[in-house]
Amino acid sequence: MYRPTVRYHDIYRRYVDSLFKATTLDRNQIFRLALFTAAHNPDFITLLKEYKRKDVPLPSMEPLYGWFMARD
């Protein structure tokens, strides 16, 4: 599994720490959840399109989402 070292502003660190304390999720799970839900968020996709390279399509999470949900 990919486990990056993430550096982010203190305001986000405090937010993630607050989520960590308020839930049973660890910090890695919080980040994975955020990335997973971002892929289905119209606002996130709109922001990505502003920075998209013209010659490379944005990936779709739909095939992965189906595989993930079928695992239960």
Side-chain angles (χ1 to χ4, degrees), residues 17-33:
D17 285 344
S18 295
L19 290 173
F20 172 72
K21 291 174 185 171
T23 68
T24 60
L25 300 173
D26 65 36
R27 288 170 182 85
N28 289 319
Q29 291 171 316
I30 292 167
F31 274 101
R32 286 197 309 266
L33 178 61

Side-chain angles (χ1 to χ4, degrees), residues 11-60:
I11 194 166
Y12 299 113
R13 181 185 53 78
R14 287 193 299 269
Y15 179 65
V16 170
D17 285 344
S18 295
L19 290 173
F20 172 72
K21 291 174 185 171
T23 68
T24 60
L25 300 173
D26 65 36
R27 288 170 182 85
N28 289 319
Q29 291 171 316
I30 292 167
F31 274 101
R32 286 197 309 266
L33 178 61
L35 287 172
F36 181 78
T37 56
H40 302 281
N41 183 308
D43 294 332
F44 179 75
I45 294 167
T46 299
L47 286 170
L48 280 181
K49 287 179 181 178
E50 291 180 26
Y51 298 95
K52 183 187 163 310
R53 297 177 193 271
K54 294 185 187 326
D55 58 336
V56 181
L58 288 174
S60 171

